[in-house]
């Protein structure tokens, strides 16, 4: 089994189609919608966690691409500016998936982009604003 | 009062002579833990001359005294702003003081909750020591000797005739571990606290922290030479809210917030690596300050003091949703820094995730830099000219 988080950009024409429902029925994948902004007449954005056999996930992603959905792994849109980070650890108490965590041997703050769901809580919590989540302002705002 | 007799006795003069000769044995407070454990305090006192400490965390009650030089025509500035952050100008014609917690004037604050507080006095200090241009504006009412009523210019730290970091309260000796027992998220100077005690934030460098290593202020006092913001600074007094009379453990360290220090130093020696503007969501701005204080190992008592580890240091769990803001003297348990550093403590029988606000990585680096300065013979220890109150 394979679990990965993807950022999906839906073209505005797809806003009224039950794409995720179809995806699940056809390809036998588990899904968890972590964030979604789908509004009529606008491009849609969704952060989706997919779990399934590697081949099924691959086919599911191809299915999405056929609808014109642009797919990015979450790690390409999350960034920590290491020149700003002061290694305090304030983010580690709030990160829901422990993508931001402390190495207990030396108390350094580490970031594992593969675990990140792009929730953006760290962006506002970071005292020196070292975290950047570029998901589009509709989804991750500072507040 | 009779002086205690020690088996090992060294003077500041002897230690400084060894530093000058390149013979002084200097270790960090973390290294000292193992040395005292292995050899005992007496033997450690014979071996080690100086222990270096360090801390790097948000420290409110920090600020800068600036003299910006006379304009032509001259002005008696009555109101002054740096990058739109207001400074207090009621000192003289061109002397001002601004604090880290002063927020830029056009900031929406908490009008739309939660405010993000992107820029304030702490950020001005960071920009100045980074060598960046800062926009200065002054207005005055005009006098015969100071006729100008306004001026604006861009300044850098190098342009300013005088710039001193002057922090009325730094280096808190211990601090609360904050939790939130209400049913909604709260945004505090201790960070974001989730409802029903889901997380706990704490803020101390623990065994590296200066005042945990000299709990009764026997060597840290007025005139102590220190690492401050990357340059050399001094302890100039006890800090505001200095409160030594709190319950203590047998090792003399306080079980809750106690002593504080007032620090000052020339900003022109400092760097933006060790002074960082801080934005606390929903709360405001402040400044993260890097401080390192050397402790002379004058005797076995100082060796024992500097040998404390995170297992030997404790703090109290305090509720910030009601108790803190309503001055209710109550706590939800005592925890050691070793427990806090594991990432989990227990409060009311429930496991709570912990997160530090004080950077241990940076504190360790400061202690190491200060150790190098002393080993090189560049940095001598200053004997305090006056002790800060210990009761």
């Amino acid at each position: 089994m394979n679990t990965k988080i993807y950022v999906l950009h839906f073209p505005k024409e797809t806003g009224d189609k039950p794409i995720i429902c179809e995806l699940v029925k056809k390809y036998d994948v588990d899904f968890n919608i972590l964030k979604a902004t789908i509004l009529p007449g606008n491009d849609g954005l969704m952060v989706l966690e997919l779990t399934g056999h590697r081949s099924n996930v691959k086919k599911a992603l191809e299915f999405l691409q056929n609808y014109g959905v642009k797919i990015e792994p979450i790690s390409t849109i999350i960034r920590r500016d290491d020149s700003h980070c002061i290694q305090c650890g304030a983010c580690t108490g709030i990160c829901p998936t422990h993508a931001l965590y402390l190495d207990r041997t030396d108390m350094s703050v580490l970031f594992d982009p593969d675990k990140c769901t792009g929730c953006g809580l760290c962006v506002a919590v970071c005292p020196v604003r070292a975290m950047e989540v570029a998901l589009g302002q509709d989804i991750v705002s500072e507040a | 009062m009779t002086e205690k007799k020690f088996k090992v006795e060294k003077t500041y003069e002897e230690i400084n002579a060894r530093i000058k000769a390149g013979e002084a044995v200097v270790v960090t407070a973390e290294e000292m833990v193992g040395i005292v454990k292995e050899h005992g305090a007496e033997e450690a006192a014979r071996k080690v001359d100086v222990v270096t400490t360090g801390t790097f965390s948000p420290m409110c009650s920090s600020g800068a005294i600036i003299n910006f030089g006379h304009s032509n025509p001259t002005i008696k500035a009555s109101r002054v702003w740096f990058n739109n952050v207001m400074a207090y100008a009621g000192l003289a014609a061109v002397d001002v003081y601004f604090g880290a917690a002063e927020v830029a004037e056009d900031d929406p604050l908490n009008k739309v909750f939660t405010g993000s507080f992107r820029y304030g006095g702490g950020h001005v200090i960071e920009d100045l020591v980074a060598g960046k241009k800062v926009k200065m504006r002054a207005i005055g009412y005009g006098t015969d000797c100071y006729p100008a009523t306004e001026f604006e210019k861009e300044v850098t730290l190098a342009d300013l005739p005088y710039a001193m970091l002057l922090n009325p309260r730094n280096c808190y000796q211990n601090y609360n571990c904050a939790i939130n027992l209400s049913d909604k998220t709260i945004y505090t100077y201790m960070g974001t606290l989730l409802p029903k005690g889901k997380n706990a934030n704490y803020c101390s460098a623990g065994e590296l922290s200066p005042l945990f290593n000299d709990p009764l202020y026997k060597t840290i006092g007025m005139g102590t030479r220190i690492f401050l913001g990357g340059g050399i600074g001094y302890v100039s007094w006890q800090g505001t809210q200095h409160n030594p009379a709190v319950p203590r453990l047998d090792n003399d360290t306080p079980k809750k917030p106690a002593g504080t220090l007032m620090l000052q130093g020339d900003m022109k020696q400092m760097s933006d690596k060790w002074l960082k503007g801080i934005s606390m969501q929903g709360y405001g701005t402040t400044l993260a300050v890097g401080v390192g204080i050397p402790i002379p190992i004058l005797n076995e008592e100082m060796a024992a003091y500097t040998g404390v580890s995170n297992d030997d240091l404790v703090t109290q769990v305090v509720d910030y949703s009601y108790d803190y803001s309503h001055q209710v003297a109550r706590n939800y348990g005592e925890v050691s820094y070793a427990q806090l550093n594991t990432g989990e403590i227990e409060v009311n029988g429930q496991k709570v995730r912990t997160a530090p606000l004080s950077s241990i990585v940076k504190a360790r680096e400061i202690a190491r830099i200060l150790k190098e300065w002393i080993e090189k013979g560049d940095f001598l220890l200053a004997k305090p000219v006056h002790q800060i109150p210990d009761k």
Side-chain angles (χ1 to χ4, degrees):
Chain A
M1 291 297 249
N2 186 27
T3 299
K4 216 167 170 188
I5 297 163
Y6 299 93
V7 180
L8 311 179
H9 300 268
F10 290 84
K12 54 182 162 221
E13 310 77 58
T14 59
D16 57 350
K17 297 191 174 68
I19 295 176
I20 299 300
C21 178
E22 211 178 315
L23 174 115
V24 173
K25 281 186 180 164
K26 275 192 173 157
Y27 300 103
D28 186 28
V29 283
D30 289 346
F31 71 102
N32 190 5
I33 298 173
L34 302 170
K35 267 182 186 295
T37 301
I38 312 283
L39 292 167
N42 284 306
D43 288 347
L45 213 150
M46 183 182 288
V47 180
L48 185 74
E49 187 182 73
L50 279 181
T51 303
H53 285 295
R54 201 174 291 270
S55 61
N56 286 356
V57 171
K58 190 166 168 266
K59 279 185 217 151
L61 294 176
E62 279 165 9
F63 162 82
L64 288 171
Q65 276 164 334
N66 287 340
Y67 268 108
V69 176
K70 244 178 61 203
I71 302 167
E72 292 177 282
I74 191 110
S75 53
T76 60
I77 50 155
I78 306 283
R79 208 172 76 85
R80 181 173 76 171
D81 183 341
D82 288 329
S83 69
H84 266 75
C85 173
I86 58 169
Q87 302 274 318
C88 67
C91 54
T92 62
I94 214 88
C95 177
T97 58
H98 298 263
L100 286 155
Y101 64 103
L102 284 157
D103 177 344
R104 299 289 158 187
T105 55
D106 66 354
M107 298 298 279
S108 57
V109 181
L110 304 176
F111 176 51
D112 181 354
D114 286 342
K115 284 191 184 158
C116 174
T117 61
C119 74
L121 281 176
C122 55
V123 176
V125 159
C126 175
V128 291
R129 304 279 187 249
M131 293 304 298
E132 288 166 23
V133 181
L135 267 182
Q137 287 179 342
D138 288 348
I139 288 213
V140 177
S141 70
E142 274 231 345
Chain B
M1 205 175 88
T2 53
E3 287 279 308
K4 255 196 230 170
K5 275 279 170 219
F6 295 109
K7 290 182 183 145
V8 183
E9 283 189 348
K10 285 184 252 181
T11 64
Y12 282 84
E13 292 74 16
E14 284 162 2
I15 293 172
N16 279 335
R18 287 171 62 76
I19 293 171
K20 279 189 212 158
E23 291 166 359
V25 177
V26 188
V27 302
T28 69
E30 274 183 338
E31 293 163 344
M32 190 64 168
V33 174
I35 295 171
V36 172
K37 246 180 210 145
E38 190 181 337
H39 302 284
E42 188 186 327
E43 191 53 29
R46 283 184 222 282
K47 279 179 190 288
V48 177
D49 296 308
V50 184
V51 169
T52 58
T53 63
T55 177
F56 186 70
S57 74
M59 297 192 199
C60 287
S61 206
S62 297
I65 288 193
I66 307 267
N67 175 290
F68 52 84
H70 283 289
S71 53
N72 188 3
T74 52
I75 188 168
K76 179 177 183 291
S78 51
R79 305 196 70 188
V80 172
W81 296 262
F82 292 91
N83 283 350
N84 221 13
V85 175
M86 200 174 70
Y88 177 70
L91 293 164
V94 293
D95 283 348
V96 296
Y97 184 78
F98 66 88
E102 185 73 40
V103 181
E105 274 206 339
D106 53 356
D107 193 285
L109 307 173
N110 264 337
K111 287 188 193 95
V112 179
F113 198 69
T114 55
S116 59
F117 301 97
R118 292 198 146 246
Y119 199 88
H123 301 86
V124 177
I125 291 172
E126 177 183 342
D127 282 348
L128 281 172
V129 295
K132 287 187 188 161
K133 279 186 184 160
V134 169
K135 193 173 163 194
M136 201 201 123
R137 186 161 76 88
I139 56 172
Y141 46 80
T143 70
D144 285 345
C145 45
Y146 296 115
T149 54
E150 63 182 314
F151 86 90
E152 263 187 49
K153 63 174 174 180
E154 282 193 327
V155 294
T156 65
L157 183 59
D159 302 329
L160 298 169
Y162 182 103
M164 178 196 277
L165 192 73
L166 176 59
N167 302 345
R169 182 179 67 252
N170 277 182
C171 289
Y172 233 119
Q173 186 182 27
N174 211 349
Y175 213 77
N176 298 331
C177 171
I179 53 163
N180 165 21
L181 295 175
S182 77
D183 53 12
K184 66 179 193 17
T185 301
I186 59 170
Y187 301 87
T188 73
Y189 69 85
M190 289 297 286
T192 299
L193 299 171
L194 301 172
K196 297 179 182 158
K198 280 213 183 68
N199 69 336
N201 285 352
Y202 62 106
C203 190
S204 170
E207 65 192 25
L208 275 162
S209 177
L211 290 179
F212 265 149
N213 285 279
D214 185 4
L216 294 175
Y217 332 109
K218 292 187 190 247
T219 70
I220 299 173
M222 187 181 171
T224 299
R225 186 177 293 121
I226 62 170
F227 171 110
L228 179 59
I232 289 176
Y234 293 87
V235 176
S236 49
W237 204 252
Q238 70 264 31
T240 56
Q241 296 179 21
H242 177 73
N243 179 22
V246 301
R248 289 172 185 261
L249 297 175
D250 288 344
N251 62 21
D252 290 342
T253 62
K255 296 187 195 183
K256 52 194 279 194
T260 68
L261 299 173
M262 186 176 200
L263 306 179
Q264 61 186 77
D266 178 8
M267 274 172 69
K268 296 194 183 194
Q269 296 176 24
M270 299 181 190
S271 109
D272 60 325
K273 185 172 181 197
W274 302 114
L275 296 172
K276 286 265 182 216
I278 294 285
S279 307
M280 296 306 282
Q281 183 186 12
Y283 171 73
T285 64
T286 183
L287 182 71
V289 185
V291 183
I293 305 190
I295 297 175
I297 305 306
L298 302 172
N299 48 48
E300 59 269 31
E301 182 181 51
M302 292 316 299
Y305 280 154
T306 50
V308 290
S309 75
N310 287 328
D311 290 306
D312 312 320
L313 303 167
V314 300
T315 189
Q316 313 298 314
V317 179
V318 175
D319 167 50
Y320 272 62
S321 67
Y322 185 85
D323 290 0
Y324 180 84
S325 48
H326 293 80
Q327 307 225 29
V328 179
R330 172 166 55 183
N331 71 58
Y332 290 87
E334 188 170 280
V335 287
S336 76
Y337 280 94
Q339 281 171 290
L340 286 164
N341 284 352
T342 65
E344 196 174 84
I345 56 169
E346 206 168 283
V347 181
N348 289 341
Q350 187 190 329
K351 285 193 176 13
V352 178
R353 191 175 170 191
T354 62
L357 301 179
S358 184
S359 174
I360 302 302
V361 171
K362 300 281 179 189
R364 186 180 297 125
E365 193 178 341
I366 290 168
R368 189 184 51 71
I369 292 170
L370 185 53
K371 173 178 161 168
E372 283 168 12
W373 286 359
I374 298 169
E375 282 174 340
K376 268 195 270 171
D378 295 346
F379 186 106
L380 296 178
L381 305 192
K383 184 177 179 177
V385 293
H386 180 69
Q387 271 206 300
I388 62 177
D390 60 2
K391 50 172 101 55

